[in-house]
Amino acid sequence: MSCQPQQRPQNVRTLRNRRRGRRCKPRQLFALGYATCLHSALKLVAGRAKANTTDSAVGARVSIGSNDSGQFQLSVILEAFLPNVTPEQTQGAEDAEHQACPYSNATRGNIDVQVKIVDD
């Protein structure tokens, strides 16, 4: 039996853009996944509270810095936009959606995460 590397099928896309120099960085992929996950959790929590999540959106900013021991560490700022939800409904929503999100559960206690409700 020979250990020859398998060729990738032609129809499989890579994360690298075909244009020169355009690649996704791991922190960008993490931000995309985290924002998408939190948005789904937001819709779940808001739906239970009968809140209107039409036109809602979640964005994430992920940065890499060093911690107290000099090692690299991620930090995340998640911003939720809820144009059709009243301030009373948003109270506590950011914590509830953070509890329901699998990314938040996986990273809790490991990285600094801030969840904010934004107006625009």
Side-chain angles (χ1 to χ4, degrees):
M1 176 183 254
S2 164
C3 286
Q4 296 293 324
Q6 295 181 352
Q7 288 195 346
R8 184 178 62 207
Q10 294 297 321
N11 62 351
V12 173
R13 293 183 182 185
T14 63
L15 295 174
R16 190 175 115 188
N17 192 324
R18 295 247 180 237
R19 289 180 278 165
R20 187 175 169 194
R22 300 276 304 182
R23 296 181 185 197
C24 293
K25 296 177 182 170
R27 71 173 178 260
Q28 292 170 319
L29 295 172
F30 184 76
L32 177 65
Y34 206 156
T36 302
C37 183
L38 193 77
H39 194 214
S40 294
L42 178 141
K43 288 181 176 183
L44 175 73
V45 170
R48 288 179 182 162
K50 306 292 187 221
N52 182 0
T53 58
T54 305
D55 299 324
S56 64
V58 174
R61 288 185 277 161
V62 176
S63 59
I64 299 174
S66 59
N67 60 16
D68 295 336
S69 61
Q71 297 178 344
F72 290 112
Q73 184 171 354
L74 295 175
S75 63
V76 180
I77 298 173
L78 297 158
E79 297 175 331
F81 175 62
L82 305 164
N84 302 313
V85 179
T86 65
E88 294 80 29
Q89 291 172 316
T90 60
Q91 216 169 23
E94 61 187 72
D95 190 44
E97 67 195 34
H98 192 49
Q99 296 296 322
C101 175
Y103 270 70
S104 295
N105 291 331
T107 60
R108 189 169 291 114
N110 296 319
I111 63 174
D112 179 36
V113 178
Q114 296 176 28
V115 181
K116 300 178 180 178
I117 305 294
V118 295
D119 296 335
D120 56 1

